[in-house]
Amino acid sequence: MFALSDNDPLSACAQQLDPTLGTIFGQVRQLVEETRALWERVLAEGRQPSAKDLATLRPAIDQQLLTTGAFGCGGGVIVEPNGLADREMHLEWWYLADGGKTLPLRPNFDRRRENYYDYTEMPWYSRPMKTGKSVVEGPYVDLYGTNMYVLTFTMPIEVQGRFIGVAGLDLSLHNVERLLVRSLMRLEHEAVLISADGRVIASNTANWMVGDLAQALLNTLPRDGIRLALAESEAGWSLVRLPVLRRK
């Protein structure tokens, strides 16, 4: 990594991207806090939370999806197996449908059926559970939900020191990329925004396709190339400037 002055165009671009990530993580954090408060209230009543209790989170979820300036196309809370009194597996997840309405996601949790959905194997669930840290997964095609190309932001939820699930938001990559490219297009050189595992999030040139693996940019840069980690460290994203002028 290189230390750049705040006046350097790459630093200026990174500073424009950081608030966007901060806003997204802030939205997920609100869901974490709402869920934790709900869980603690129910435990104080001397009982285990139920699916009906979790359904009361819908206004908070809708707020993150419908508020002006919101980024999410889906969001909610996924509970650890047997975490509820009346469900082995459960998610309180809503997605944006046509007309600005939110609809519930209802995957199949019947192990006997072919399309059984085991969210515990999904990285956006398993990684926060194991590490206790926030995670950004993708971009990938959400085959079990909206069938859109998405980024998934999740955070672990802990109550009284115990992991009880994750809160998260799905973001349509189309909308996010359009927002990010606006900043990248201000750079004269080719620039690529890459995820922690080396996937292309956005670029200001057609030479780098969104979703492609570009792990080489995490390890070995071309001569005079620069990689800058974004200040919003929870995402683990880096901004790379290549020593090639962008064709305009």
Side-chain angles (χ1 to χ4, degrees):
M1 300 288 182
F2 286 77
L4 300 174
S5 71
D6 290 343
N7 295 326
D8 185 275
L10 193 67
S11 292
C13 182
Q15 290 170 10
Q16 292 168 352
L17 297 175
D18 280 322
T20 300
L21 286 176
T23 297
I24 296 167
F25 277 117
Q27 290 181 296
V28 178
R29 194 170 289 111
Q30 287 183 31
L31 290 178
V32 170
E33 293 169 355
E34 291 274 358
T35 306
R36 183 184 294 122
L38 166 66
W39 212 271
E40 290 176 342
R41 284 197 304 270
V42 174
L43 291 179
E45 296 172 2
R47 60 187 181 87
Q48 187 178 2
S50 66
K52 185 176 180 180
D53 292 316
L54 215 62
T56 63
L57 291 172
R58 184 184 176 183
I61 297 170
D62 279 358
Q63 181 181 7
Q64 303 308 329
L65 299 179
L66 300 174
T67 300
T68 301
F71 295 96
C73 63
V77 174
I78 300 92
V79 184
E80 69 165 341
N82 299 307
L84 298 180
D86 55 349
R87 297 284 194 279
E88 178 185 0
M89 301 181 75
H90 185 72
L91 50 78
E92 188 66 30
W93 194 272
W94 295 75
Y95 65 93
L96 275 178
D98 294 339
K101 297 180 180 179
T102 57
L103 296 176
L105 184 64
R106 294 289 183 256
N108 171 47
F109 293 136
D110 185 346
R111 298 176 185 272
R112 298 167 298 180
R113 295 175 59 182
E114 185 177 350
N115 62 340
Y116 166 66
Y117 182 57
D118 184 2
Y119 53 73
T120 64
E121 296 183 353
M122 302 299 173
W124 48 258
Y125 179 92
S126 61
R127 287 178 60 194
M129 178 187 66
K130 294 174 182 177
T131 66
K133 297 180 180 180
S134 304
V135 165
V136 183
E137 285 296 326
Y140 66 95
V141 178
D142 183 17
L143 296 176
Y144 294 95
T146 60
N147 288 316
M148 298 172 63
Y149 219 22
V150 299
L151 292 164
T152 299
F153 290 66
T154 54
M155 287 183 172
I157 308 171
E158 292 188 357
V159 175
Q160 299 176 0
R162 174 174 167 265
F163 174 82
I164 60 120
V166 302
L169 284 176
D170 279 342
L171 279 73
S172 162
L173 187 62
H174 174 72
N175 293 335
V176 176
E177 183 192 14
R178 185 170 52 188
L179 182 67
L180 299 176
V181 167
R182 196 179 306 159
S183 296
L184 296 177
M185 292 300 288
R186 297 173 182 172
L187 299 174
E188 293 184 351
H189 289 76
E190 286 192 6
V192 187
L193 183 64
I194 56 175
S195 67
D197 59 358
R199 289 202 177 274
V200 175
I201 305 296
S203 175
N204 62 1
T205 170
N207 292 334
W208 300 89
M209 301 301 294
V210 172
D212 283 353
L213 274 174
Q215 290 179 324
L217 297 181
L218 289 176
N219 304 314
T220 305
L221 288 174
R223 184 178 179 181
D224 296 327
I226 298 176
R227 184 173 67 251
L228 182 65
L230 297 189
E232 180 54 74
S233 59
E234 287 183 291
W237 291 0
S238 299
L239 183 58
V240 177
R241 182 172 66 198
L242 299 167
V244 180
L245 288 174
R246 178 172 57 84
R247 292 184 180 181
K248 299 182 180 180

